Amino acid sequence: MNPNFRLIWENWLNKQTDETRLDVDFFAQLLLGVDVKIYPRMSYGACFLYRLGPLGYFNKDKLGLYFGFYWGKLLTESPAADIFELNQLKMVKLVRLDNKINDEDFQGKLLLLFDEALRIDDEKYQKKNKSI
């Protein structure tokens, strides 16, 4: 796990409330701990997580903090897809994170979706990265 995610995302995090920073710290550690190859990066003004390719990102809008699964459209049939927010985005699907630090059922579903996102990451990017 990359313990320096806070440094990489520092400018964005400094603009957030204490509550949002706490939520990001919790969920970033949770997701970064799934695979040692996952790393943080700022992309498109958002706090992204990458492994072979983009997995998703943390961001905040007027409704609160969320994690956007980059290939979320491919996750909508997953068993834990009921935690996705209904939205008009074609590819990215959002999961709201506010007030979920103590919700173990939600966290389990988030991890199931993240595991599936890692499988998709392998399918989409493994061949490309082997040729490099």
Side-chain angles (χ1 to χ4, degrees):
M1 177 172 49
N2 185 334
N4 297 320
F5 77 92
R6 285 192 120 273
L7 295 173
I8 294 166
W9 298 342
E10 185 174 7
N11 289 334
W12 185 85
L13 282 169
N14 285 340
K15 297 174 188 171
Q16 306 308 315
T17 65
D18 288 343
E19 185 177 320
T20 296
R21 283 192 296 272
L22 181 68
D23 286 345
V24 171
D25 280 343
F26 178 83
F27 285 106
Q29 293 291 353
L30 182 70
L31 298 178
L32 285 164
V34 170
D35 187 322
V36 296
K37 296 176 188 169
I38 299 170
Y39 62 95
R41 185 170 120 191
M42 285 302 294
S43 295
Y44 310 105
C47 303
F48 265 81
L49 295 180
Y50 283 80
R51 191 178 62 155
L52 301 175
L55 297 168
Y57 59 94
F58 292 94
N59 211 344
K60 189 172 180 180
D61 61 15
K62 63 183 177 186
L63 298 176
L65 180 68
Y66 63 86
F67 186 82
F69 282 88
Y70 191 81
W71 295 104
K73 179 180 179 180
L74 302 179
L75 299 172
T76 56
E77 299 299 318
S78 299
D82 62 309
I83 66 172
F84 282 132
E85 175 184 281
L86 297 176
N87 63 41
Q88 301 302 314
L89 300 173
K90 290 184 179 184
M91 185 170 70
V92 174
K93 297 299 174 197
L94 308 181
V95 175
R96 294 285 169 188
L97 302 175
D98 290 330
N99 303 313
K100 302 291 189 196
I101 285 181
N102 296 316
D103 188 338
E104 292 180 7
D105 182 56
F106 173 86
Q107 292 166 26
K109 289 180 178 183
L110 178 66
L111 289 171
L112 285 174
L113 288 174
F114 201 70
D115 282 344
E116 188 66 12
L118 293 175
R119 186 191 62 74
I120 293 168
D121 188 56
D122 286 338
E123 287 178 6
K124 296 243 176 237
Y125 300 104
Q126 200 161 37
K127 290 179 186 173
K128 178 179 154 185
N129 285 331
K130 282 185 179 179
S131 65
I132 295 175

